[in-house]
Amino acid sequence: QVTLVGSGGGSVQAGGSLTLACTASEFSDSSNCIGWARQAPGKEREGVAAIYISTGSTYYADSMKGRFTISQDHSKNTNTARLQIHGVTPEDTAVYYCAADLGCGSIISADLTPYGSWDQGTQVTVYS
């Protein structure tokens, strides 16, 4: 398992955009893929998007396609991914959890393997 440090989040007006970032403490098999899941009040955690670090391949949950863009920093020795949310709506209000795992499928399903890691989560609140 790796340690994840997430940043970004906060309050944003509906229709605006927001960027979250997440950095893994090390390059390892446990951080082959980095991504996000979110959990709204009273709902189950659901996967959002993930990126396979070595290839840059991206994956999105079906319900998240269109307004979410995941990318990675290409700076040397940086294992960082970013999630952009465009045209936010109040339904995007949730705690967003960064995740790392051996593969991206477990992040999209929000069901990590024993080698996966979550960060502490960051609150995103969308107001009208």
Side-chain angles (χ1 to χ4, degrees):
Q1 294 181 324
V2 298
T3 300
L4 301 171
V5 178
S7 61
S11 296
V12 59
Q13 190 170 19
S17 298
L18 192 70
T19 299
L20 306 178
C22 180
T23 299
S25 58
E26 61 185 83
F27 292 92
S28 71
D29 289 344
S30 296
S31 60
N32 282 342
C33 190
I34 298 177
W36 278 267
R38 70 182 187 182
Q39 188 165 17
K43 295 187 177 181
E44 293 186 355
R45 193 172 298 189
E46 59 178 348
V48 176
I51 185 166
Y52 202 80
I53 295 299
S54 62
T55 63
S57 297
T58 58
Y59 303 86
Y60 297 89
D62 288 342
S63 60
M64 307 296 174
K65 292 178 180 177
R67 296 190 300 110
F68 295 83
T69 302
I70 191 167
S71 61
Q72 63 183 113
D73 281 358
H74 293 282
S75 301
K76 186 178 181 179
N77 296 327
T78 299
N79 203 10
T80 297
R82 299 188 187 278
L83 180 71
Q84 293 178 297
I85 313 173
H86 310 281
V88 297
T89 72
E91 287 68 38
D92 292 319
T93 294
V95 177
Y96 285 72
Y97 294 92
C98 175
D101 210 340
L102 301 174
C104 293
S106 60
I107 296 175
I108 296 300
S109 66
D111 185 14
L112 302 186
T113 73
Y115 303 95
S117 303
W118 295 104
D119 77 343
Q120 76 283 357
T122 185
Q123 178 69 46
V124 171
T125 302
V126 181
Y127 60 92
S128 302

